[in-house]
Amino acid sequence: TCVEFDRKPDLINWTAAANATSPVTEFWERRVLNITGSIHELGNMRWELALCLLLSWIICYFCVWKGVKSTGKVVYFTATFPYVMLAVLLVRGLTLPGALDGIKFYLYPDAARLADPQVWMDAGTQIFYSYAICIGCLTALGSYNKYNNNCYKDCVYLCLLNSGTSFVAGFAIFSALGFMAYEQNTDIADVAKSGPGLAFIAYPRAVAMMPLPQLWAIFFFIMIILLGLDSEFVGLEAIVTAISDMNPSFFHVGHRRKLLLLAICAVSFFIGLVMVTEGGLYIFQIFDYYACSGMTLLLFATLQSVCISWVYGSNRFYDNLEDMIGYQPLALIKYCLKYVTPVICMGTFVFSLVKYTPLKFNNTIEYPWWGYTLGWWFTLSSTLNVPLWMLYNMSVTPGTLRERFSILCTPAKDLPVTKAQKKALEQLDTPVFLTNMASQQEMTGWRGFKDTDPM
């Protein structure tokens, strides 16, 4: 039964049927997805979604195939236009009745939810993906900058802009949800959803209740499409850059880089076809929960912070930054990198393992054993690459176990010379240093001659 809850009759004894759904939910689940009734049924291909998936990968390919220069030009539009849409939706949302209740729900969270490990996992996943850290994107894109680019200032601006955007976007979303709760005379917690439900069910329902709903729906989905393309651009560019830079003599010749990009897009498209079947949403949630989970990223964050701050050395890292930007960043960041980040990430990782709860579709339907097996395979397929690569390097490096570990933990010899090293080299050319070296050599020669004295 399809019931328009926002236009229900104002009667005291009005009740909905047990299987009643809203028009937005009915359209999303029955018309767009035509989702199967069981996890075991994959169903047929949804050709409309498959064609949209193909179109998105074609757009990504032609936006990235010229390299970071073409990507940068495209991002000027795809990254700035959503801010215009966000401002329009924010102003419209704040003028709706019930918006204040939604903002209060947004600004005054439930402190009891902090004991739920999934809240911390979701928060970590949001931070990691919104900042694109621990997934290689910043490293790949940063490699195109000049050596003396002020990366420290860029990082500060990125954090402020990203967190500020997320904070402001919360007002746009929850003001509309507050309006929807006001129209339905229900609690905001009952209308708020996470994941695909927020973008394709909850917010469209709120937009449908506004005056001129078609106009606001167009604005909203244009913003969603551009944000998705931006994420796809960055991820695709990072993969291609990482692979091609590992073998530059091969991939930087002719059109080999473009062919590599085409192969990655084709493989990604065929993998995505599984998720645009009638039962594809079940697979999508497994992939989203396990392969893209905060658990994997938390482990990567711990390993990266430990390797940079303790193996490579935080002082050496700061010397490199000083050589790049001309000054050393705030000392607090060094101690956060050495202590705060590893402790928080590892603590959250362990807490999530102890309080682990298996995935349930829509928080109600449990997956079969093969679903959880597939999910953990997604997790381990990326996580195990780190220790396997470490063992491979240990096996091919000559020497004893201690010598191998020492060699692999020694910085590369082709790293740029830092300011401290330049000062040390300059001191080598001073007359005082040369005089001292000559006197030391004379003393060494005299001692050697004395040691050979037969008496």
Side-chain angles (χ1 to χ4, degrees):
T1 304
C2 182
V3 178
E4 297 191 54
F5 293 102
D6 54 311
R7 292 181 175 86
K8 65 189 179 189
D10 191 13
L11 298 176
I12 297 177
N13 296 325
W14 186 89
T15 56
N19 62 342
T21 58
S22 66
V24 177
T25 305
E26 190 80 9
F27 178 79
W28 168 246
E29 294 182 352
R30 299 302 172 195
R31 175 61 185 88
V32 178
L33 299 178
N34 194 23
I35 190 168
T36 57
S38 172
I39 300 173
H40 300 276
E41 301 175 19
L42 196 60
N44 298 321
M45 185 77 63
R46 302 294 295 167
W47 293 107
E48 302 95 329
L49 300 179
L51 292 175
C52 291
L53 180 65
L54 177 62
L55 178 61
S56 66
W57 280 111
I58 291 175
I59 294 175
C60 284
Y61 175 78
F62 284 105
C63 289
V64 179
W65 77 320
K66 289 291 186 181
V68 72
K69 293 183 179 180
S70 62
T71 307
K73 294 177 181 178
V74 174
V75 168
Y76 278 124
F77 172 74
T78 59
T80 55
F81 186 76
Y83 280 97
V84 179
M85 295 294 97
L86 179 62
V88 172
L89 293 173
L90 174 63
V91 173
R92 181 61 187 133
L94 293 176
T95 59
L96 295 172
L100 184 60
D101 295 331
I103 293 174
K104 289 180 180 179
F105 183 83
Y106 171 55
L107 295 179
Y108 296 97
D110 184 6
R113 292 295 307 279
L114 295 177
D116 184 3
Q118 189 59 42
V119 172
W120 292 92
M121 293 289 291
D122 293 340
T125 303
Q126 170 65 24
I127 292 297
F128 283 122
Y129 272 93
S130 61
Y131 284 82
I133 55 178
C134 296
I135 54 179
C137 294
L138 293 180
T139 306
L141 297 180
S143 65
Y144 291 99
N145 284 330
K146 296 180 180 179
Y147 179 75
N148 293 323
N149 178 66
N150 196 331
C151 56
Y152 176 61
K153 182 177 67 175
D154 291 345
C155 289
V156 174
Y157 289 162
L158 172 65
C159 295
L160 294 176
L161 181 63
N162 204 339
S163 298
T165 302
S166 300
F167 183 69
V168 174
F171 286 94
I173 293 172
F174 280 90
S175 61
L177 295 180
F179 166 70
M180 185 167 65
Y182 170 81
E183 287 289 315
Q184 297 180 8
N185 193 23
T186 186
D187 190 72
I188 300 177
D190 296 332
V191 299
K193 293 180 178 290
S194 61
L198 176 63
F200 297 105
I201 296 178
Y203 206 88
R205 284 177 63 186
V207 169
M209 299 176 189
M210 299 180 185
L212 299 175
Q214 294 83 1
L215 177 64
W216 304 114
I218 290 173
F219 284 166
F220 174 72
F221 283 107
I222 288 177
M223 181 181 69
I224 292 295
I225 291 172
L226 293 180
L227 290 175
L229 288 176
D230 274 340
S231 300
E232 227 170 344
F233 291 160
V234 174
L236 195 58
E237 183 65 46
I239 296 174
V240 174
T241 300
I243 296 176
S244 59
D245 285 355
M246 290 179 67
N247 301 280
S249 59
F250 179 80
F251 287 107
H252 291 177
V253 176
H255 298 283
R256 292 176 180 177
R257 187 184 185 277
K258 297 178 181 178
L259 293 176
L260 172 65
L261 176 64
L262 180 62
I264 294 174
C265 291
V267 172
S268 301
F269 168 71
F270 285 114
I271 293 175
L273 285 178
V274 181
M275 302 182 191
V276 293
T277 58
E278 293 176 346
L281 192 60
Y282 301 116
I283 308 297
F284 171 81
Q285 287 208 348
I286 293 177
F287 192 87
D288 180 65
Y289 187 82
Y290 289 98
C292 310
S293 68
M295 190 178 297
T296 303
L297 296 177
L298 285 170
L299 181 60
F300 285 166
T302 304
L303 295 175
Q304 288 186 17
S305 58
V306 169
C307 289
I308 293 174
S309 58
W310 293 100
V311 179
Y312 181 74
S314 58
N315 292 330
R316 185 182 288 112
F317 181 64
Y318 259 54
D319 290 339
N320 296 138
L321 289 176
E322 183 182 9
D323 188 54
M324 293 178 188
I325 64 179
Y327 61 92
Q328 288 197 354
L330 189 65
L332 177 63
I333 300 177
K334 179 193 298 185
Y335 297 106
C336 288
L337 185 63
K338 293 181 66 175
Y339 305 106
V340 179
T341 300
V343 170
I344 291 179
C345 291
M346 181 53 66
T348 308
F349 177 77
V350 173
F351 182 57
S352 62
L353 285 179
V354 173
K355 298 290 186 178
Y356 167 75
T357 55
L359 172 67
K360 293 182 179 180
F361 182 76
N362 285 341
N363 295 323
T364 55
I365 304 175
E366 291 188 358
Y367 280 84
W369 66 268
W370 59 262
Y372 297 121
T373 304
L374 180 64
W376 280 108
W377 183 83
F378 285 152
T379 300
L380 296 177
S381 63
S382 57
T383 307
L384 288 180
N385 284 330
V386 176
L388 290 177
W389 185 254
M390 291 169 60
L391 293 175
Y392 170 76
N393 284 330
M394 289 287 289
S395 63
V396 299
T397 303
T400 63
L401 183 62
R402 185 174 182 178
E403 290 173 347
R404 295 177 185 181
F405 188 79
S406 177
I407 292 172
L408 293 175
C409 293
T410 302
K413 296 181 180 180
D414 58 350
L415 289 175
V417 180
T418 63
K419 284 189 174 182
Q421 294 172 334
K422 290 178 182 178
K423 291 181 180 179
L425 292 174
E426 290 174 357
Q427 291 178 358
L428 295 177
D429 296 332
T430 59
V432 176
F433 180 81
L434 295 176
T435 303
N436 292 335
M437 285 295 296
S439 61
Q440 289 180 4
Q441 290 176 355
E442 290 177 359
M443 290 295 294
T444 303
W446 180 79
R447 288 171 182 168
F449 175 77
K450 184 178 181 181
D451 292 339
T452 57
D453 192 344
M455 296 299 292

